[in-house]
Amino acid sequence: MPLLAGLTACDDFSLYPETEVGELRWVLDKGTLTKTSGEIPDTNDFLLSIRDAEGKTLYEGSYGDSPQYLPVQPGSYTIGIVSIPFRAPAFSQPQYGDEQVAVVPSGGKVTVKLQCTLLNAGIRLKMSSDFLNSFPVGTLYLKQADSQLQYAYTEKRIAYLFPDDVSLSLSDGGREQTLFKRRLQPREILTLTLSAPSPAAGTSSTVEVAVDTAKNWTSDHLEIGDAPSGGGNDPDGWQRAISVAEAVFHSGENGVWVYGYIVGGDLTSAGKGIKTEGITKNTHIALADRSSVTEKSACLAVELPKGSIRDALNLVDKPELRGKRVYVKGNVVSSYFGTTGLKNVKEYRLP
């Protein structure tokens, strides 16, 4: 269960009679995430923490369960988010996240846009045939501080480590030698090729380590989740999708890809909120940047045209889609059911 503290008016806000309560909001910016990687978890599961200037925790839990905003007193607040905890070197454990400090003025409303960049670093090893012939029973270790990670010859995954000093060692026949040392930078993914050219007569094999500069990347451009599937004529367009929070700035534009979580429907009868259960209208759905949203103003109302798109995405026939991420392409309008809308939808993608 998420930890939510320090939010009641009688407990906190009455202590500041001369100030006005402000609002602190947050969105996870998908703008830097454009390359597919199946290793990254759903953004709903990202771990969010919000603390005041004194270090008091106001929220700690999943991004998907977080409230739409926090009423706060004027001051500075630290907002951090990570995809997973990362405590020791491990395979297939990229950690994405961000941390920012926001200053909320008296009575002000501040929205923090959290980026999603790779926080740790990684190494991928490749062993040439001459290396395997020279050291057929050797054991490789990646070492960092007091931790080490065994790297099997058959391993294909990326080993993720802290952005810090790392060494690669080879243990063979009771002898251990250090092959490589380097200080890793955040977001750096190294590809190392190990080779052992034929030694001169009377000498032992030595290992050469080459950094593949063509595959040494520090890109932030990673897509959350596997490449989705669905109907449409723009198979790569979903990679340019904007968030629900960004859609309001694209009103009047046509053919826009937007991604979000299906949070409800029946917007004609829900007042300022949205209906999440017992949906009776199959003509539209509400999308939001996280699955916990229930406020209509934080949603994008998506019109479902009659046919395959309505059949695939409506909550009357498919209530199990609530809370699921979807990509949709259509025309952004300034008002649809009292909030920003997406009409004339032509394509969709479901992960």
Side-chain angles (χ1 to χ4, degrees):
M1 294 294 291
L3 172 63
L4 193 59
L7 302 179
T8 62
C10 58
D11 286 344
D12 290 321
F13 302 149
S14 61
L15 300 178
Y16 306 90
E18 296 180 0
T19 63
E20 291 186 41
V21 175
E23 286 184 7
L24 180 62
R25 296 174 179 262
W26 49 91
V27 295
L28 186 57
D29 181 18
K30 192 252 183 190
T32 57
L33 308 172
T34 57
K35 184 179 178 181
T36 299
S37 171
E39 294 180 338
I40 312 176
D42 194 300
T43 50
N44 255 348
D45 298 327
F46 277 37
L47 305 174
L48 178 72
S49 65
I50 302 173
R51 293 174 173 82
D52 64 16
E54 297 178 353
K56 180 180 179 181
T57 299
L58 302 184
Y59 177 83
E60 191 167 67
S62 72
Y63 177 74
D65 290 336
S66 65
Q68 291 164 221
Y69 68 91
L70 289 180
V72 295
Q73 288 298 324
S76 63
Y77 298 86
T78 301
I79 303 96
I81 194 166
V82 293
S83 56
I84 57 169
F86 186 76
R87 301 184 179 92
F91 289 104
S92 299
Q93 292 292 305
Q95 184 191 52
Y96 300 89
D98 190 18
E99 182 175 281
Q100 296 188 35
V101 175
V103 178
V104 181
S106 178
K109 296 182 179 181
V110 175
T111 299
V112 177
K113 183 176 286 189
L114 295 163
Q115 304 297 319
C116 193
T117 58
L118 186 64
L119 300 178
N120 50 8
I123 289 180
R124 179 192 285 115
L125 299 182
K126 293 184 176 181
M127 280 66 76
S128 67
S129 58
D130 57 19
F131 174 85
L132 297 175
N133 291 333
S134 297
F135 304 97
V137 294
T139 305
L140 293 166
Y141 295 96
L142 288 169
K143 297 185 177 183
Q144 192 169 61
D146 297 328
S147 300
Q148 68 177 22
L149 182 65
Q150 184 175 339
Y151 205 114
Y153 287 176
T154 56
E155 183 61 68
K156 302 298 183 184
R157 296 171 297 172
I158 296 174
Y160 285 91
L161 305 106
F162 293 101
D164 204 345
D165 294 333
V166 64
S167 64
L168 172 66
S169 67
L170 170 66
S171 178
D172 181 68
R175 175 174 173 263
E176 183 168 316
Q177 58 177 311
T178 299
L179 306 179
F180 177 82
K181 286 185 177 181
R182 180 160 175 162
R183 176 174 286 271
L184 297 176
Q185 302 300 316
R187 300 182 296 280
E188 183 175 28
I189 305 294
L190 286 179
T191 298
L192 305 178
T193 300
L194 308 184
S195 60
S198 300
T203 63
S204 58
S205 296
T206 58
V207 181
E208 296 180 357
V209 181
V211 178
D212 188 343
T213 55
K215 295 182 180 179
N216 177 14
W217 53 270
T218 57
S219 172
D220 296 337
H221 302 294
L222 296 159
E223 166 59 30
I224 289 178
D226 297 321
S229 60
N233 303 313
D234 189 8
D236 299 320
W238 64 271
Q239 298 184 55
R240 301 185 296 273
I242 61 175
S243 67
V244 169
E246 294 172 303
V248 66
F249 302 108
H250 294 263
S251 179
E253 296 182 19
N254 297 332
V256 178
W257 278 98
V258 183
Y259 82 103
Y261 294 89
I262 301 175
V263 292
D266 283 4
L267 299 180
T268 54
S269 58
K272 293 184 178 180
I274 61 171
K275 195 171 181 180
T276 59
E277 302 287 349
I279 308 297
T280 61
K281 303 292 185 182
N282 66 357
T283 58
H284 63 277
I285 53 175
L287 297 191
D289 283 329
R290 54 187 183 276
S291 60
S292 62
V293 169
T294 58
E295 183 181 300
K296 185 191 294 187
S297 62
C299 294
L300 179 76
V302 178
E303 182 183 54
L304 301 178
K306 187 176 181 180
S308 61
I309 293 177
R310 181 180 296 180
D311 294 341
L313 300 181
N314 84 85
L315 290 176
V316 176
D317 300 317
K318 296 192 174 182
E320 68 276 8
L321 290 179
R322 192 169 69 85
K324 301 296 185 181
R325 189 172 72 253
V326 67
Y327 297 74
V328 284
K329 179 183 178 182
N331 303 338
V332 182
V333 296
S334 59
S335 181
Y336 181 46
F337 291 124
T339 187
T340 306
L342 192 73
K343 306 191 78 172
N344 196 29
V345 174
K346 297 293 188 182
E347 299 181 49
Y348 74 95
R349 294 290 187 272
L350 281 169

